[in-house]
C-alpha cells in the first residue's frame, strides 16, 4: 500500500505543474448565423454639393464568437439590392440607382456580390471590438479594420458599427480628386470615402 501511495504521489508531482500551467479549457467558439431580415446596412456617399444615402442588403453571413471576440466569419452583400433613400422624385431616384450599378461605380452585372471575410478581432476603445478582415468589391480585395459594439444575450448577438471605405482602392474613380483636377470638377466632385453603417443581428 505504501508503495502504491508513493507511486501516485510521484505521478502527481510530475504532472501537476503541467496541468496547472495548462489552465482551464478554452471556452468553445459558437457559430452565429446572420438574420438577413433583421440586419441592415446604410451607405452614405458625400460630394461637394452634399451627397446621397440609401441601403443595401446582406444576402448571407456567419461568424464564430466565443463570448469576447469574433475569430472568423464572412458576410455577403447583394450589390444589386443597392437603393437610394434620400431622393423623392422617382425618375431621379431610378437614374441614380442605375448609375450606382453601372461601370462608373459598382459594376453589379459583372460583380453582383461584395464580401467581407473576418480574420480576427481584439478589444478596442469604449468596450468595442476592433475587427479585422478582407473586403472584396468589384473583384478587388483589400484589408480593412473597423470598430463594432457587440451586444450578446442568450443565443442572440447584435453588432453595430461603421465601416469607412476608400473607393479608389476598389477602382471606383468617377469624379474623384485623386485622378482628376479638383478645379475642373467644380461642384461635381465626389469624395473618395464612403461609409457603411451596419446593424447585424445573428443567432446561434
Amino acid at each position: 500500500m505504501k508503495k502504491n501511495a508513493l507511486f501516485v504521489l510521484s505521478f502527481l508531482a510530475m504532472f501537476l505543474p503541467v496541468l496547472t500551467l495548462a489552465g482551464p479549457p478554452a471556452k468553445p467558439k459558437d457559430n452565429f448565423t446572420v438574420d438577413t431580415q433583421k440586419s441592415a446596412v446604410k451607405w452614405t456617399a458625400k460630394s461637394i454639393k452634399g451627397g446621397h444615402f440609401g441601403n443595401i442588403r446582406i444576402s448571407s453571413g456567419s461568424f464564430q464568437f466565443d463570448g469576447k471576440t469574433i475569430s472568423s466569419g464572412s458576410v455577403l452583400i447583394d450589390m444589386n439590392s443597392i437603393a437610394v433613400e434620400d431622393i423623392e422624385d422617382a425618375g431621379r431616384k431610378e437614374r441614380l440607382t442605375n448609375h450606382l450599378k453601372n461601370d462608373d461605380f459598382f459594376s453589379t452585372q459583372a460583380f453582383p456580390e461584395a464580401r467581407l471575410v473576418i480574420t480576427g478581432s481584439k478589444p478596442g476603445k469604449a468596450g468595442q471590438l476592433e475587427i479585422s478582415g478582407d473586403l472584396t468589391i468589384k473583384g478587388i480585395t483589400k484589408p480593412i479594420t473597423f470598430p463594432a459594439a457587440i451586444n450578446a444575450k442568450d443565443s442572440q448577438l447584435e453588432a453595430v458599427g461603421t465601416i469607412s471605405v476608400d473607393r479608389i482602392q476598389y477602382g471606383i474613380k468617377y469624379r474623384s480628386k485623386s485622378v482628376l483636377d479638383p478645379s475642373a470638377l467644380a461642384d461635381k466632385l465626389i469624395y473618395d470615402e464612403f461609409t457603411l453603417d451596419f446593424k447585424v443581428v445573428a443567432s446561434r
Side-chain angles (χ1 to χ4, degrees), residues 23-39:
K27 185 176 179 179
K29 297 179 179 66
D30 289 323
N31 191 67
F32 283 77
T33 300
V34 174
D35 186 329
T36 59
Q37 298 302 310
K38 294 180 180 179
S39 301

Side-chain angles (χ1 to χ4, degrees), residues 36 56-61 74-82 101 105-117 134-141 170 172 196:
T36 59
I56 192 165
R57 290 199 303 267
I58 296 174
S59 55
S60 65
S74 65
V75 176
L76 285 178
I77 302 291
D78 177 7
M79 295 305 297
N80 279 302
S81 72
I82 194 166
K101 292 180 180 182
F105 290 98
F106 295 106
S107 303
T108 62
Q109 186 172 355
F111 304 99
E113 290 182 329
R115 179 192 297 267
L116 171 65
V117 176
D134 295 311
L135 179 63
T136 301
I137 299 175
K138 294 183 72 171
I140 300 171
T141 302
Y170 301 92
I172 306 170
L196 300 170

Side-chain angles (χ1 to χ4, degrees), residues 23-140:
K27 185 176 179 179
K29 297 179 179 66
D30 289 323
N31 191 67
F32 283 77
T33 300
V34 174
D35 186 329
T36 59
Q37 298 302 310
K38 294 180 180 179
S39 301
V41 179
K42 175 187 175 183
W43 62 266
T44 303
K46 299 291 186 180
S47 72
I48 200 166
K49 293 183 69 175
H52 297 284
F53 66 84
N55 58 59
I56 192 165
R57 290 199 303 267
I58 296 174
S59 55
S60 65
S62 64
F63 50 86
Q64 290 191 317
F65 179 69
D66 64 3
K68 292 184 178 180
T69 59
I70 295 173
S71 59
S72 61
S74 65
V75 176
L76 285 178
I77 302 291
D78 177 7
M79 295 305 297
N80 279 302
S81 72
I82 194 166
V84 178
E85 296 297 322
D86 67 302
I87 298 177
E88 294 184 1
D89 181 80
R92 289 183 58 229
K93 187 173 186 176
E94 183 179 8
R95 284 194 295 274
L96 178 55
T97 300
N98 290 335
H99 194 188
L100 291 173
K101 292 180 180 182
N102 77 19
D103 292 341
D104 282 339
F105 290 98
F106 295 106
S107 303
T108 62
Q109 186 172 355
F111 304 99
E113 290 182 329
R115 179 192 297 267
L116 171 65
V117 176
I118 297 171
T119 55
S121 65
K122 63 182 181 180
K125 297 179 180 178
Q128 295 183 325
L129 280 184
E130 184 179 316
I131 299 175
S132 300
D134 295 311
L135 179 63
T136 301
I137 299 175
K138 294 183 72 171
I140 300 171

Side-chain angles (χ1 to χ4, degrees), residues 27 32 63 65-68 149-159 202 204:
K27 185 176 179 179
F32 283 77
F63 50 86
F65 179 69
D66 64 3
K68 292 184 178 180
I150 307 295
N151 182 20
K153 186 177 180 181
D154 300 328
S155 62
Q156 194 170 67
L157 181 150
E158 183 179 285
R204 231 186 240 109

